[in-house]
Structure formats: C-alpha cells, structure tokens
Amino acid sequence: EAPAGASEASKFVRWVSRVARATRRCPPCSTLFSSRGYSRRSGLNNPISMGGKSIKAIKYIENESLRGRFNSCKSYFLSRSIPNDERLVFHGTSADLDSIIKQNLKLSLCKRFAFGKGVYFSEFPSTSQVYGKHLLLFRVMLGNPYQGREHIIPAQYQSKIVQPNEEGKANMIIIDNEDQILPAFIIELQDLEPPVSI
C-alpha cells in the first residue's frame, strides 16, 4: 500500500534495491547494465556510473493496463508478420512522472519533431539525459524501422531510427504509436563523488 501523502501513481511503482533484482523483474533488461552506457567504478561498494552520474535508485513500473496494451500490440504485430522483438531505450524528460506512469507517454503532448513526428528515445543514456531531469527506461517494439528523410513515418513502417552506429544502435528512435512503448524503470541519478585518496 502506498504511504500517506503519496501520489496515486505510486501504486504502480516498486523500489528495486539491487540491479540484479531489476533485471529479473524485466527479462529484456538483463543486458542493460552491461551495455556501453554503464560502467562500474573500482571497489566493491562503488555505484554503477553513467555519463558522470551514479545510479541513486531504480524504481520498477508495474502498470497492468499499459502492459496489456503493449502485449496486445505485440500479438497484433505477430499476426501480421511484423517483427515484435523489443529494444530497451532511454527517454529523458522534465514532465510530470505521475502522468507517464499512469498514462504512458502521449504523442499529443510532444512539441518538438526535429527528425520526424513521434515520441523520441535513444539507446544511449547520454543522449536522453540532455532532454530533462528525469531518465526513464522503456521497452519498445520497432516493428519494421524506417531510415530516411520523410517527416511522417511511412505506412509500411512502425518506427524511425536516426543516426545508427556501426553496431546498429540508434542515437534516436522515433515511435508514433503509444501502444508500442512500455515504461519499465525510473532511473534516479546523482553526481558521482570524487574518489577518496588514502
């Protein structure tokens, strides 16, 4: 039960005290903390770091309504022979987290579409961090991704990828269907403390 004074959205959030537990709660997340965006400082008790920040806390989002819509979209893709495998991507925002936790990201609330119309994500946390004080991790389905200059994602595609690297990881991923995205984690960051000299 949520503590007194907690927001309504807090009922969807669970604290995850260990990274290992976080990856067990979300099987596709098992590769997250070995990805290029993270490194562990030397020493047994040092935190996982990312872009000059350390992870202060991880909160796992459990919203069965959003998960149901996501799984329905996954089934729809499968029935149409559209790839329904998932990617883990980051989203930076200064928007109200309660709204995202309860209702997901809303395309209607997005204001900037520099590379195309849709909700923007990145496979690199450093890219997402510049867009707001909050960092979230999403599970997304790309379907058949588009690469090109069209502002609107063409009908035969389900996403757009921008500036992929040699490994296929995209600096930006754009999705215009909210059912293809599922918020998974809130990642709270803090500045790294300088190492203590002995």
Side-chain angles (χ1 to χ4, degrees), residues 63-135:
N63 187 322
E64 294 300 328
S65 175
L66 297 183
R67 185 180 298 169
R69 288 166 50 186
F70 184 77
N71 287 335
S72 292
C73 184
K74 184 181 281 283
S75 297
Y76 174 82
F77 277 15
L78 182 63
S79 70
R80 300 296 191 276
S81 298
I82 299 171
N84 69 351
D85 49 313
E86 299 178 23
R87 287 200 197 188
L88 289 167
V89 294
F90 296 94
H91 179 82
T93 182
S94 292
D96 177 34
L97 289 185
D98 283 3
S99 175
I100 295 172
I101 292 165
K102 289 188 293 183
Q103 301 178 20
N104 212 343
L105 294 170
K106 293 294 184 183
L107 181 58
S108 60
L109 299 179
C110 296
K111 298 177 181 179
R112 293 177 292 181
F113 302 113
F115 292 92
K117 186 175 181 180
V119 182
Y120 282 60
F121 303 92
S122 177
E123 294 189 85
F124 299 96
S126 57
T127 298
S128 294
Q129 282 177 263
V130 303
Y131 290 98
K133 61 183 179 180
H134 304 302
L135 185 66

Side-chain angles (χ1 to χ4, degrees), residues 70 104-105 121 138-140 175 177-183:
F70 184 77
N104 212 343
L105 294 170
F121 303 92
F138 280 75
R139 295 163 60 181
V140 303
I175 295 177
N177 177 5
E178 296 157 4
D179 290 344
Q180 289 173 229
I181 65 179
L182 180 67

Side-chain angles (χ1 to χ4, degrees), residues 7 10 13-17 19 22 32-33 38 47-61 90-93 95-98 101 125 129 132-137 184-192:
S7 68
S10 64
V13 177
R14 304 288 182 269
W15 286 91
V16 182
S17 59
V19 168
L32 170 65
F33 296 105
Y38 291 87
I48 289 178
S49 63
M50 176 178 59
K53 302 279 187 178
S54 66
I55 295 178
K56 178 182 178 182
I58 301 170
K59 297 176 181 178
Y60 180 60
I61 301 168
F90 296 94
H91 179 82
T93 182
D96 177 34
L97 289 185
D98 283 3
I101 292 165
Q129 282 177 263
K133 61 183 179 180
H134 304 302
L135 185 66
L136 297 99
L137 180 75
F185 288 118
I186 301 167
I187 302 173
E188 295 186 354
L189 303 173
Q190 61 186 2
D191 292 330
L192 279 172

